[in-house]
Amino acid sequence: MFSLARWQKTEPMAAAVPRGLRVYAVGDVHGRLDLLDQLHDAIEDDAASASDLVKYIVYLGDYVDRGPCSRGVIERLIEGPPPGFGAIHLKGNHEASMLNFLENIDIGPNWLTYGGAATLVSYHLPPPPEIGTETLLRVQEMLLTALPPTHRLFLESLRPSVTIGDYLFVHAGIRPGVPLNRQREQDMIWIREEFLRSTKDHGKVVVHGHTISMEPEVRANRIGIDTGAFATNRLTCLALEGTERRFLFT
């Protein structure tokens, strides 16, 4: 089931997406294929009366880890968005960690502790009973074998950010005070407190996930939509059209 918030009118001169476009931004999925499917249904229902608009779904990253169906989430995203929608897939820190583990076992202990073990299980691989060099090398080899080439290509093709109108979409945030065209990918997928505390005008309203809040966080310079779906069963979507904003929830 899903709930639908009313359109919220913003102040004059508010951030806007280009005319004729509706954008749906989806927060951190974290292996919850069931919620992703529910949210896709909600988005389709919401857009049914907007046949004259160009419609895009921007996925903010963290598709894998923690929840039970990381493999299924990647497969669903590879299949493409619902009919009539374009899709933009951004990179989260969990995708970066998974890719890093395929090349370097040093990240293994952190990745497995913070959700990677659930991803292994989704690929029908047992989580290691202990974390040592030999064990991590075996796990790395098994994952390299189990990971379909299309899944790795998808992970490697993820973008760090996208700008649409007056909005910048990233996974985690940006480094305050640094021009948008000079932002580092490391910050865009990992930054937290310095970005969250900042009241600076970034030049764009930053739409992000990464940091969990019980409700969407709407600030003058940012909108956070990670509502902890893997634990709360609440996957959040921000809908943008013109200067209007609203939210869809599972």
Side-chain angles (χ1 to χ4, degrees):
M1 298 295 294
F2 65 90
S3 61
L4 181 62
R6 295 180 179 178
W7 285 105
Q8 299 176 345
K9 294 291 185 181
T10 58
E11 296 297 325
M13 304 302 292
V17 296
R19 186 175 180 178
L21 177 66
R22 185 180 293 177
V23 178
Y24 295 89
V26 175
D28 303 32
V29 180
H30 276 306
R32 289 300 301 269
L33 177 61
D34 56 336
L35 300 183
L36 179 61
D37 284 343
Q38 289 178 34
L39 196 58
H40 277 168
D41 289 343
I43 290 170
E44 285 192 274
D45 288 344
D46 181 73
S49 61
S51 59
D52 57 329
L53 297 177
V54 175
K55 298 174 286 290
Y56 267 90
I57 303 177
V58 179
Y59 301 88
L60 297 182
D62 276 9
Y63 316 116
V64 301
D65 298 350
R66 293 179 171 164
C69 296
S70 293
R71 176 177 182 144
V73 168
I74 292 177
E75 194 67 37
R76 182 73 79 249
L77 295 176
I78 290 173
E79 290 172 359
F85 291 80
I88 299 170
H89 305 101
L90 303 184
K91 180 189 290 187
N93 58 300
H94 283 262
E95 287 78 51
S97 294
M98 183 178 175
L99 282 171
N100 195 354
F101 177 69
L102 296 177
E103 303 288 342
N104 180 7
I105 64 167
D106 291 345
I107 198 175
N110 280 338
W111 178 59
L112 293 170
T113 299
Y114 292 102
T119 296
L120 292 180
V121 173
S122 77
Y123 283 93
H124 308 294
L125 301 175
E130 59 183 25
I131 297 178
T133 300
E134 291 186 6
T135 300
L136 291 173
L137 284 170
R138 286 197 299 272
V139 172
Q140 181 191 61
E141 182 178 0
M142 288 190 297
L143 183 56
L144 283 166
T145 301
L147 191 67
T150 53
H151 288 210
R152 185 164 185 176
L153 181 62
F154 171 80
L155 293 171
E156 292 175 340
S157 68
L158 298 174
R159 302 168 58 169
S161 68
V162 65
T163 297
I164 302 176
D166 297 323
Y167 292 91
L168 173 69
F169 300 83
V170 296
H171 174 64
I174 62 171
R175 177 73 56 184
V178 176
L180 296 181
N181 62 357
R182 296 179 59 189
Q183 293 287 329
R184 297 170 59 243
E185 180 175 306
Q186 182 77 1
D187 285 328
M188 289 189 282
I189 65 176
W190 283 102
I191 199 168
R192 205 181 296 275
E193 291 304 323
E194 185 173 352
F195 166 68
L196 299 176
R197 292 195 304 264
S198 176
T199 58
K200 289 181 178 292
D201 181 348
H202 303 306
K204 303 284 185 182
V205 175
V206 181
V207 179
H208 66 96
H210 188 58
T211 300
I212 296 174
S213 57
M214 295 307 296
E215 297 289 339
E217 285 196 332
V218 181
R219 303 287 185 265
N221 60 357
R222 68 178 182 87
I223 302 174
I225 60 170
D226 179 5
T227 46
F230 71 95
T232 66
N233 297 318
R234 195 181 204 206
L235 182 61
T236 296
C237 171
L238 168 65
L240 300 169
E241 183 181 342
T243 58
E244 298 177 322
R245 304 168 178 166
R246 61 191 171 103
F247 297 94
L248 312 178
F249 307 97
T250 55

